[in-house]
Amino acid sequence: MMKAVTISDVAKQAGVSKSTVSQFLNQRYDYMAEKTKKRIEQAIDELGYSPNIVARSLKQKSTMTIGVIVANILHVFSTQVIRAIEDYCNESNFHVIVCNADDEPAKEKRYIDMLRAKQVDGIIVFPTGGNVDLYKDLVKQNYPIVFMDRMVPGISVSSVLLDNEKASDLAVRTFVKKGYTRIGMISPPIVKNITPRTERVDGFKKALKKQQMTFYPEYLASGEIADIQVMMEQLFKQANPPTALLALNDRVLVEILQFVKAQQFNIPHDLALIGIDDVSFAGIYNPELTTIAQPAFEMGKKAAELLLYLIRNKNVQEEARVYRFEPKLIERTSV
Amino acid sequence: MMKAVTISDVAKQAGVSKSTVSQFLNQRYDYMAEKTKKRIEQAIDELGYSPNIVARSLKQKSTMTIGVIVANILHVFSTQVIRAIEDYCNESNFHVIVCNADDEPAKEKRYIDMLRAKQVDGIIVFPTGGNVDLYKDLVKQNYPIVFMDRMVPGISVSSVLLDNEKASDLAVRTFVKKGYTRIGMISPPIVKNITPRTERVDGFKKALKKQQMTFYPEYLASGEIADIQVMMEQLFKQANPPTALLALNDRVLVEILQFVKAQQFNIPHDLALIGIDDVSFAGIYNPELTTIAQPAFEMGKKAAELLLYLIRNKNVQEEARVYRFEPKLIERTSV
DNA sequence: CTGAAAGCGCTTACAG
DNA sequence: CTGAAAGCGCTTACAG
């Protein structure tokens, strides 16, 4: 590494003081003589100087960096959210550090601690829900934080979520409209902290009721992704198996399709299907898959907006809010 | 925000000097009295102290952070690479800042400059190829950098790449083995800087030759993703259209499948298909898609390993190398 | 075994 | 219109 050139070198070269160079860098040339500017500009050019942001951050107590802790960057939804956050931050000259908590509270805690030690200006997190005390602490300290995809009961942090009940409602209506009556749903483990799961399942039940349909508990199967094949077998061993199935998310959908393939079911004749999450192959699958899309980009952008607002307005005590986004039904031919 | 507690506060509370607290923090308690340790430990606990890493970074000239500049985080390959890098860095207590260059040299330059100003310890980049002078500068300054997925001719930076020619070879062999003779390939624009494209196309030609097959230029179509439908139409308007097609990547594959669907082609009867990139739906598509997988995780891990090695051994002048990774044929039923 | 002092590279009142 | 000085929160020789 070459020895770095500092503000002192520039000052010396330009024949002015460090203060003046600093003023120049921060565009505070209210009363700066034109020739001083020129000299500094030239010195910077000649030396190839670029300010050390770490030093600036130390002084200014702002790193222009935020942290994003996702459950897993491999999920398409997370990827889209990150992309949107990155785009938004980029416009505002913020950088983003990405972390994977893998739904493990211990990892999440470690990342939050590290990010704070690194003095990031704020954090967007898909909360595991397993660090309630930590969240409370952050709130008490008025630390800028936004929750994404999930809420944590009792924690007053603004949260960006899909209108999950609406998503299920959209699906159920679609099935009912086409005359299906034996409607089931497949879900990963319904864990209390994981808002999308609880809300989508609740929404599913409510929607059936609203449509005056009976909810058959035996048509609602939930369990680890790895166990879904077995769960499906059992589901279809029943006397009257469901004729329509809602997949809680993209990963569940893939499992269902696996099963459908093995059983050589004909969609939608033997089984109608709707998946929440507009998977990349929905339009090219045979038959095309009816899905419910999440506006992931808008959601990511909203979270970034909220966070930067909190960062810039630390003094104002904002009321935490839940921001709901509209799911969108994309009708294709699997129903 | 609460006022942050600093090392001075801890020192005061524990009744020792800042130096001693610092020693403690850095586990340099070679000769530290047991009771001093205890006192410091307790003070830290009581105050809820956590060191300010920005201040440490300024002094130590190391931020324990690296930058990753991808072409687009929305590509599955990039996502997997990032995940692998993140995992590896995490073990070594490094953080990663993710940036999207969108294949725009201007954006790439801006990010590289910003990351350096932020004093990141090194950068992994999917190079656009459009900033040759900048790359040269970095090399000259012995700045830790690793290229991913692409090489830049004339720039001596270690690069992690798929064995692209092998990937095409695998595909061609598979087609030939099954008796196909009219083999084509669809590619995005063949731009010189984008190594995977040039190498896969070259590999395709070479492989045909090696199998003593003729290469029909009219069976090689390349162009923007948005234009592929039209390209395909023209391709199949020919008197003797290809009977087997290699998709250069996942995005091309999706376009081909779109066309296949519109034309109601029967795969593999009317058209055999192989795609480079093992898409998520390969196993559930009808028919199942034969693909060639990239070991994205291994590649990401390797890049991280290389970069951290460079960071830790800045003094040793390492020879830049190209690391090739083996593509893997996953035979399913689309051939 | 522990502390005083200098310094990392900036910014920011304040003085002139 | 510009500069000297203090300070951000650490670390690190060095002295004792």
Side-chain angles (χ1 to χ4, degrees):
Chain A
M1 291 286 287
M2 277 169 49
K3 224 193 115 282
V5 4
T6 73
I7 198 171
S8 302
D9 302 325
V10 176
K12 203 174 300 168
Q13 174 104 345
V16 299
S17 76
K18 290 194 299 173
S19 324
T20 306
V21 177
S22 178
Q23 312 278 32
F24 176 87
L25 292 173
N26 294 285
Q27 331 220 10
R28 306 185 54 90
Y29 13 63
D30 305 346
Y31 294 93
M32 199 176 297
E34 201 50 48
K35 72 171 184 193
T36 307
K37 275 199 234 179
K38 284 268 170 274
R39 284 227 301 269
I40 296 177
E41 214 159 24
Q42 197 187 336
I44 288 177
D45 244 39
E46 286 173 14
L47 299 172
Y49 170 72
S50 127
N52 179 326
I53 299 207
V54 171
R56 173 183 294 170
S57 296
L58 176 59
K59 184 67 192 175
Q60 299 198 141
K61 297 171 167 317
S62 149
T63 52
M64 298 297 280
T65 304
I66 66 165
V68 177
I69 305 177
V70 299
N72 191 340
I73 199 191
L74 297 178
H75 295 341
V76 175
F77 177 70
S78 309
T79 281
Q80 295 174 335
V81 167
I82 291 172
R83 170 79 213 216
I85 292 172
E86 220 273 318
D87 283 354
Y88 188 85
C89 285
N90 184 28
E91 285 170 24
S92 305
N93 270 301
F94 271 75
H95 271 156
V96 359
I97 295 182
V98 175
C99 313
N100 280 289
D102 280 327
D103 263 329
E104 290 175 25
K107 263 193 160 182
E108 177 182 47
K109 174 167 170 30
R110 197 168 149 258
Y111 275 124
I112 291 179
D113 289 345
M114 291 280 310
L115 288 171
R116 297 207 60 202
K118 276 210 158 151
Q119 314 296 116
V120 300
D121 296 336
I123 298 179
I124 294 172
V125 53
F126 290 56
T128 62
N131 287 303
V132 173
D133 290 345
L134 216 200
Y135 306 145
K136 278 191 182 149
D137 242 49
L138 295 171
V139 173
K140 207 174 66 196
Q141 291 173 38
N142 203 16
Y143 185 77
I145 182 166
V146 169
F147 285 159
M148 183 77 200
D149 192 46
R150 303 168 178 182
M151 293 188 294
V152 181
I155 306 292
S156 118
V157 165
S158 282
S159 310
V160 175
L161 278 83
L162 183 71
D163 185 338
N164 288 298
E165 298 204 346
K166 175 97 178 266
S168 296
D169 190 69
L170 242 27
V172 169
R173 280 166 178 281
T174 307
F175 285 138
V176 171
K177 199 174 60 187
K178 297 278 178 113
Y180 293 92
T181 54
R182 305 214 306 268
I183 306 170
M185 180 170 190
I186 313 284
S187 162
I190 302 171
V191 178
K192 188 137 152 278
N193 302 321
I194 307 188
T195 318
R197 298 190 195 161
T198 54
E199 290 186 345
R200 288 176 196 176
V201 169
D202 284 351
F204 175 69
K205 294 179 192 171
K206 283 191 199 169
L208 283 174
K209 196 166 193 180
K210 210 160 68 181
Q211 302 293 320
Q212 336 240 1
M213 312 286 294
T214 25
F215 161 64
Y216 302 97
E218 63 273 28
Y219 288 173
L220 170 62
S222 75
E224 295 297 341
I225 295 293
D227 301 332
I228 289 187
Q229 297 307 320
V230 184
M231 282 162 40
M232 297 277 299
E233 267 171 45
Q234 258 137 22
L235 192 57
F236 284 87
K237 239 190 268 169
Q238 301 176 53
N240 290 306
T243 52
L245 231 37
L246 171 58
L248 186 128
N249 65 21
D250 52 351
R251 306 195 56 201
V252 169
L253 210 220
V254 168
E255 291 299 321
I256 295 178
L257 290 173
Q258 199 94 52
F259 180 78
V260 160
K261 183 173 191 61
Q263 303 292 315
Q264 311 211 19
F265 281 177
N266 178 329
I267 299 177
H269 182 264
D270 300 330
L271 183 67
L273 225 47
I274 296 181
I276 299 179
D277 283 333
D278 187 39
V279 294
S280 66
F281 55 92
I284 52 173
Y285 199 80
N286 296 308
E288 295 182 26
L289 271 8
T290 294
T291 61
I292 291 169
Q294 303 194 52
F297 290 98
E298 289 160 50
M299 291 169 76
K301 184 176 174 205
K302 184 66 183 185
E305 268 174 26
L306 286 172
L307 189 67
L308 295 203
Y309 178 83
L310 290 177
I311 290 171
R312 289 168 178 150
N313 301 276
K314 283 227 192 82
N315 35 335
V316 321
Q317 191 72 28
E318 208 71 24
E319 195 61 36
R321 276 193 47 189
V322 176
Y323 296 82
R324 292 285 179 178
F325 282 74
E326 289 291 297
K328 191 168 145 232
L329 174 70
I330 303 180
E331 295 205 68
R332 284 185 278 242
T333 51
S334 64
V335 177
Chain B
M1 289 287 285
M2 276 170 52
K3 228 195 107 280
V5 4
T6 75
I7 199 170
S8 301
D9 301 324
V10 176
K12 202 174 302 168
Q13 173 105 345
V16 299
S17 76
K18 291 193 300 173
S19 325
T20 306
V21 177
S22 179
Q23 312 279 31
F24 176 87
L25 292 173
N26 294 287
Q27 331 219 13
R28 308 185 55 90
Y29 13 62
D30 306 345
Y31 293 93
M32 199 177 300
E34 200 52 47
K35 74 172 182 190
T36 308
K37 273 199 234 177
K38 284 272 171 269
R39 284 225 301 267
I40 297 177
E41 215 160 23
Q42 198 187 334
I44 289 178
D45 245 38
E46 288 172 12
L47 299 172
Y49 170 72
S50 130
N52 179 326
I53 300 205
V54 171
R56 174 184 294 170
S57 296
L58 175 59
K59 183 69 192 177
Q60 299 197 143
K61 295 170 168 317
S62 148
T63 52
M64 298 296 279
T65 304
I66 66 165
V68 177
I69 305 177
V70 300
N72 190 340
I73 199 192
L74 297 178
H75 294 341
V76 175
F77 177 70
S78 309
T79 281
Q80 295 173 337
V81 167
I82 291 173
R83 170 78 212 217
I85 293 173
E86 219 272 320
D87 282 354
Y88 188 85
C89 285
N90 185 26
E91 284 170 25
S92 304
N93 270 302
F94 271 77
H95 271 156
V96 0
I97 294 181
V98 175
C99 313
N100 281 288
D102 281 325
D103 263 329
E104 290 174 25
K107 262 192 161 185
E108 176 183 47
K109 175 164 168 32
R110 196 167 152 259
Y111 275 124
I112 292 180
D113 289 345
M114 289 282 311
L115 288 170
R116 297 206 59 204
K118 276 214 158 146
Q119 314 296 116
V120 301
D121 296 337
I123 298 179
I124 295 173
V125 55
F126 291 56
T128 61
N131 287 304
V132 172
D133 290 345
L134 215 200
Y135 308 144
K136 278 192 181 145
D137 240 51
L138 294 172
V139 173
K140 208 175 64 195
Q141 292 173 36
N142 203 17
Y143 185 78
I145 182 165
V146 170
F147 284 159
M148 183 77 204
D149 191 48
R150 304 168 176 181
M151 294 188 295
V152 182
I155 306 291
S156 118
V157 165
S158 282
S159 311
V160 175
L161 277 82
L162 184 71
D163 186 340
N164 288 299
E165 298 204 345
K166 175 97 178 268
S168 295
D169 190 70
L170 244 25
V172 170
R173 280 168 178 279
T174 307
F175 285 137
V176 171
K177 201 173 60 188
K178 297 278 177 110
Y180 293 93
T181 53
R182 307 213 304 268
I183 307 171
M185 179 168 190
I186 313 285
S187 162
I190 302 172
V191 177
K192 189 136 152 275
N193 301 321
I194 307 190
T195 318
R197 299 190 194 161
T198 54
E199 290 187 345
R200 288 175 196 176
V201 168
D202 283 353
F204 175 70
K205 296 179 191 170
K206 284 192 197 164
L208 284 173
K209 196 168 196 178
K210 210 160 70 185
Q211 302 294 320
Q212 336 239 358
M213 311 287 293
T214 26
F215 162 64
Y216 302 98
E218 64 273 27
Y219 289 172
L220 171 61
S222 74
E224 296 298 341
I225 295 292
D227 301 333
I228 289 188
Q229 296 307 319
V230 183
M231 284 163 40
M232 296 279 297
E233 266 171 46
Q234 257 138 23
L235 193 56
F236 284 89
K237 240 190 267 172
Q238 301 177 54
N240 289 307
T243 53
L245 231 36
L246 171 58
L248 187 127
N249 66 21
D250 51 349
R251 305 195 58 201
V252 170
L253 210 219
V254 167
E255 292 299 322
I256 296 179
L257 290 174
Q258 199 94 54
F259 181 78
V260 160
K261 183 172 191 60
Q263 303 293 315
Q264 308 212 22
F265 280 179
N266 179 330
I267 300 178
H269 183 264
D270 301 329
L271 182 67
L273 226 46
I274 296 182
I276 298 179
D277 285 332
D278 187 40
V279 293
S280 65
F281 54 92
I284 51 171
Y285 199 80
N286 297 306
E288 294 183 26
L289 271 11
T290 294
T291 60
I292 291 169
Q294 302 194 53
F297 290 97
E298 289 160 49
M299 292 169 75
K301 184 177 174 203
K302 185 66 181 184
E305 265 174 30
L306 286 172
L307 189 66
L308 295 203
Y309 178 85
L310 290 177
I311 290 171
R312 289 170 179 147
N313 301 275
K314 284 229 192 82
N315 36 335
V316 322
Q317 192 71 25
E318 209 70 24
E319 193 62 37
R321 277 193 47 191
V322 176
Y323 297 82
R324 290 285 180 180
F325 281 74
E326 289 291 295
K328 191 167 145 236
L329 175 70
I330 302 181
E331 296 205 66
R332 284 186 277 242
T333 51
S334 62
V335 178

